[in-house]
Amino acid sequence: MRTMIRTNNNITLVGRVTKVKEFGKDVAAVTIAVDNGRDKEGNDIPSTFIEVKSFEPKTYGMLKSGMLVMVSAFFRNNNYEKNGEKRYELDVVASCIEFLESKAVVEARE
């Protein structure tokens, strides 16, 4: 008997916004810090910083550093050639960004 395993190219990330940058009117990116919890001794494990690209950047103007967000995304290969050398990158591309707290909450915390 052979079992077929279906794969799915979806990830969900929950973290705090650290940086927002625009590459043009149609592309933007947000970097979020994802908490990694604590080790066995109770010490904080450093956060992972993930850059998420978007090809519908209209919501990026509403993001503020420190805001808690949930990002639904997928992986996309970004292969190109630079100076005669092939480069291979794996981009995280947002399909949806949900605000888990309001801009007012973030501003009040500051």
Side-chain angles (χ1 to χ4, degrees):
M1 184 170 140
R2 197 164 128 183
T3 304
M4 296 294 290
I5 298 174
R6 291 182 164 248
T7 60
N8 217 350
N9 183 6
N10 292 311
I11 58 170
T12 301
L13 303 166
V14 175
R16 297 204 176 269
V17 174
T18 61
K19 186 192 305 184
V20 178
K21 61 183 174 181
E22 293 184 39
F23 299 113
K25 66 177 187 158
D26 294 330
V27 182
V30 60
T31 302
I32 62 170
V34 177
D35 186 4
N36 288 317
R38 297 173 190 251
D39 63 19
K40 292 179 184 177
E41 289 79 39
N43 302 312
D44 286 337
I45 299 172
S47 296
T48 301
F49 293 84
I50 302 169
E51 182 178 86
V52 180
K53 292 184 178 176
S54 174
F55 296 96
E56 294 182 31
K58 54 190 164 206
T59 59
Y60 280 53
M62 300 185 305
L63 295 172
K64 186 166 177 62
S65 186
M67 183 179 283
L68 187 65
V69 295
M70 180 171 67
V71 178
S72 297
F74 59 93
F75 294 110
R76 177 180 287 168
N77 287 323
N78 182 14
N79 305 332
Y80 60 95
E81 194 171 310
K82 183 175 183 179
N83 299 329
E85 183 180 325
K86 286 193 174 206
R87 304 214 178 206
Y88 303 93
E89 294 180 356
L90 186 64
D91 290 338
V92 178
V93 180
S95 50
C96 178
I97 297 176
E98 293 185 43
F99 303 103
L100 300 181
E101 60 186 10
S102 69
K103 200 172 188 178
V105 168
V106 174
E107 290 170 351
R109 190 172 46 241
E110 293 174 345

